[in-house]
Amino acid sequence: MRAYVAATIPEDHTAAPADRVTAALLAGVLVDPAGLEPLRGRFAAWQARLVDDGIDPAAATAVRLAVDGWWAVRLLGLGEPAPGLHESTRRYLMEAIDRAARD
């Protein structure tokens, strides 16, 4: 779970780099929604791994959904948190994972 956050949201606030593969995927989905199938499979596999991560599956899923939304916001430039809030929000998610692991 911690690796998922670390791989998706950097510790410090930086602009999300343009991801041509993701942009192409999103554009392709507008034309052919079936193009999402490989991505659906990947996300289903990630979800299964997170549920078996050793923490409460609801906590793992809540963090994943928060991170996925944050990733989309960064990718599309839709109201990203300012630098200080970025760092404190990421820290909050990591602490939530630690709390769930202790419970």
Side-chain angles (χ1 to χ4, degrees):
M1 190 74 254
R2 292 179 65 80
Y4 191 74
V5 174
T8 308
I9 306 298
E11 281 190 53
D12 60 338
H13 183 273
T14 56
D19 183 341
R20 290 184 178 181
V21 172
T22 303
L25 176 65
L26 292 174
V29 168
L30 293 174
V31 175
D32 180 13
L36 274 177
E37 285 309 314
L39 193 58
R40 285 186 181 114
R42 174 74 49 103
F43 272 78
W46 285 335
Q47 176 65 27
R49 287 182 65 192
L50 293 175
V51 166
D52 290 333
D53 195 31
I55 67 172
D56 176 13
T61 299
V63 171
R64 181 189 71 89
L65 294 174
V67 170
D68 290 350
W70 197 349
W71 170 82
V73 161
R74 287 175 42 89
L75 177 71
L76 301 172
L78 300 172
E80 293 182 62
L85 184 56
H86 172 100
E87 285 85 6
S88 62
T89 302
R90 188 180 187 279
R91 188 171 41 256
Y92 177 88
L93 289 174
M94 291 299 209
E95 290 168 357
I97 295 166
D98 291 342
R99 281 190 303 276
R102 286 190 302 266
D103 293 343

